Amino acid sequence: MLVVFSAEEFLNNEGHTLNLLFEEGMENLHLRKPNCEPKDLGNLLEKIKPEFHSRIVLHQHHDLQNHFRVKGLHFKELDRRNSMNEIKMNMANGTYKNLSLSTSFHNCEDLYLDSTPWHYQFLSPVFDSISKEQYTGQKYAVDSGNKTILGLGGVHAGNMNEIKSLGYCGAAVLGAVWNTQEPLKAFRGIYEAYKVSFS
């Protein structure tokens, strides 16, 4: 599984760029805009072709899933700490029916201790971050077992095979796409490397 995280800030012509990435084969977009208003996120979703909404996971403003047929919802670490009982209740009562549910971890111990039935989890930082200065990679090796663990942090086309060798079921990229002059070209290289490493 290959996931692309959106840029944290809104970009010029972002909807158009995301449509091009989907057309190039992007199957999973995590739409993450930490400081945005619901209307701004909704406006971006309006600019993405409806046929691609089923490949999008929301990090913020989960209520937008009532207006757009998105793939799923992501819960950050703070969400788990503050709202875990509510999340589990909604899992049990069918509120999240037909939605993929994911979360993030920043150490192996917390990840292995968590028994929540997430569809997949991110563990980071695996390598030195491209998008965040002084976010040092830990080279976490994992035993996925019955979990679907994706490596995040400093992932690019050149280390995709190492992600595989460390035991991950897939990878997530952010800076390797958006910290470039040509996101589409960067994605193509990453996608090809992913297919070679995880085929």
Side-chain angles (χ1 to χ4, degrees), residues 95-114:
T95 299
Y96 300 141
K97 186 179 179 182
N98 299 324
L99 291 169
S100 74
L101 304 174
S102 61
T103 192
S104 301
F105 293 91
H106 297 92
N107 66 72
C108 291
E109 183 179 6
D110 288 347
L111 187 152
Y112 291 133
L113 287 174
D114 187 275

Side-chain angles (χ1 to χ4, degrees), residues 68-189:
F68 300 92
R69 301 186 72 173
V70 296
K71 175 180 179 176
L73 308 175
H74 182 83
F75 297 89
K76 58 184 183 289
E77 201 164 30
L78 193 60
D79 295 330
R80 292 201 314 275
R81 289 178 182 165
N82 296 341
S83 307
M84 198 63 240
N85 289 337
E86 180 183 352
I87 292 169
K88 287 185 174 179
M89 182 180 70
N90 287 336
M91 285 179 169
N93 66 21
T95 299
Y96 300 141
K97 186 179 179 182
N98 299 324
L99 291 169
S100 74
L101 304 174
S102 61
T103 192
S104 301
F105 293 91
H106 297 92
N107 66 72
C108 291
E109 183 179 6
D110 288 347
L111 187 152
Y112 291 133
L113 287 174
D114 187 275
S115 60
T116 311
W118 307 105
H119 291 92
Y120 55 97
Q121 302 97 0
F122 299 99
L123 180 61
S124 70
V126 182
F127 307 113
D128 292 350
S129 176
I130 298 168
S131 58
K132 299 176 182 177
E133 291 184 12
Q134 299 178 341
Y135 201 48
T136 305
Q138 302 299 310
K139 294 284 187 80
Y140 295 120
V142 298
D143 178 6
S144 291
N146 62 352
K147 296 178 182 288
T148 301
I149 306 172
L150 309 181
L152 171 66
V155 179
H156 53 77
N159 58 22
M160 195 65 69
N161 198 51
E162 190 172 356
I163 282 283
K164 171 71 171 177
S165 68
L166 286 169
Y168 293 91
C169 299
V173 295
L174 196 167
V177 172
W178 302 111
N179 285 31
T180 68
Q181 295 296 317
E182 299 182 74
L184 195 60
K185 181 179 179 181
F187 172 75
R188 287 185 188 126

